[in-house]
Amino acid sequence: MSTVTTAVIEVEQVGFAYGDIPILEDVSLRVEAGEFLGLVGPNAGGKSTLLKLVLGLLRPQQGRISVLGRSPKQARRYLGYVPQYPAFPRDFPIQVLDVVLMGRLGLGRGLSSRFGAWRQRDREIARQMLIEVEAGELATQPIGALSGGQLQRVLLARALVGEPEILILDEPTANIDHRLEGEIFELLAQLNKQLTIVVVSHDIGFISSYVSRVACLNRTLICHRTEAINGNLINELYGERVRLINHDHEGAETNLGTAGANMNAPQTSLPSHQEHPAHG
Amino acid sequence: MAEFFTALLEHGFLQQALIAGLLASIGCGLIGPFVVVKRITFLAGGIAHSVLAGMGAAVFYGFDPLSGALAAAVFAALLIGWVRLRWRTGEDTAIGALWAIGMAVGILFVSQTPGYATDLMSFLFGNILLVPARELWFMAALDLVLLVSVALFYRQFVAVAFDEEFARLRAVPVDLFYLLLLVLVAVTVVLMIQVVGLILVIALLTLPAATAGQWTGTLAGMMMGATLIGALLTSGGLALSYAPDIPTGPTIILLAGALYLLSAISAGLRAKRRAEKAVRSITRG
């Protein structure tokens, strides 16, 4: 996949603010087809906002974004999205299979794909996808009965049944334990053989063993390296030296955490950055 | 009760009342569950009360009150929906304002229409015994609108009720379906006004669906349950209120409330029993 050089997501000099609070400044990012990009950075650094811009849920005040050569809004149906926090109430009376089926809305042509109930074929695909994410036995469970890890698998299945070309995940493992986290990333690594994946995480030590490239976002984007991730690079990104070297150009100490995140310590995660409240 | 059944066979107006109740319960079943799961009870209440403006204006200018009600309900639904989509916040205030302003306008119109003061009571609290045959057809037509809309767009309505953001990402025109859902709520309100009146509508819209929701885990189950419960409540209220000659609308609402309470208590007990049983089975190994 490393030989493919088609950009599937192009973010060019994008600026975004909520009201008068700047969230993103002059962010440029190119994601190639087949990449497995990890988007990391401190809390409130603008990671989720950047995803929402790429998904077309927000519009940048500055710069432009194209996804698969289209506007984000037009490209939506080719994207799969796993949100950080499910936007639905957990007590909603709905079964897992019906949640997954919603990922197939907007697919297909003709009347039967728009009107009425789901077709048998859609149900079959949704059931199959639940099995693939190892949640097949949950199909008839009410959505409110799932544990955090189970829900994450179901949300992943919902994103995948839409037959996406790009899979976008916002902190997919924030609420689950580390064994499950590993399982989910193994699954993503498998999926990456067919899909471009962008995953947001605050836990660079963990994701580095899976992703092919890391981009670091803290209001501005510092897209560090495209070569293979190694222990040294992690140290550069998050170790003591980061403050002195890599982030000097921001003109402010970003203090990305002093715990030396490395490949052997997947439990290392970034502390929240209370000192940058103005960044959103 | 026996007196009611003999009277039912004799009197056409009672048969019409029974049919009106059954037609209204279709609205309970189709739209009530969406109001409950989407948590738009207050919004539905706002639509219901603003309807008085339309009814008052209709009687003042000599139109059929129900067509005035329908126009006002749809207008109120679209206005509240627009406020919510446009500003996100302020929806609450807009609903409250529309609620009170609608009633004020309606009462002024009614007060200026000679001989209509008595009608005001039936607008507010319903009069199922006075439903003319013509209005049964009107109600049937409204039911048809609800049935066709929900049958055609069931998936989209569920998606918009469940997770608007995700529905938007799947290229569902979320705003359009949200407004359509509110219009259907408006239609349901008008459908029920003849039976329980505009003040009590909100209970008939939500209580059967909420009661059904305590016993089923799917929206479709809620729809079927709420339709049955709605039919039971309107027929039961009619039968209970006939012999002692008390108003039917309030009787129906009290029945709905009592059933909801009973159901909530027994659903709570059932959940407790199940949890205890589960814990026992663990400790026994």
Side-chain angles (χ1 to χ4, degrees), chain A residues 88 91 93 112 114 116 158, chain B residues 39 152 155-156 162-163 169 217:
Chain A
F88 50 82
D91 62 352
S112 70
R114 270 159 216 254
R158 179 177 73 161
Chain B
R39 296 177 182 159
L152 279 180
R155 279 184 283 182
Q156 286 85 347
F162 180 65
D163 188 343
L169 291 175

Side-chain angles (χ1 to χ4, degrees), chain A residues 198-235:
Chain A
V198 176
V199 59
V200 157
S201 177
H202 61 278
D203 190 347
I204 193 198
F206 185 79
I207 67 165
S208 58
S209 47
Y210 295 97
V211 299
S212 55
R213 183 161 65 108
V214 167
C216 178
L217 188 65
N218 189 10
R219 194 146 62 93
T220 54
L221 187 94
I222 314 106
C223 206
H224 284 274
R225 298 286 160 98
T226 51
E227 64 261 37
I229 306 284
N230 56 44
N232 283 340
L233 179 60
I234 306 298
N235 275 328

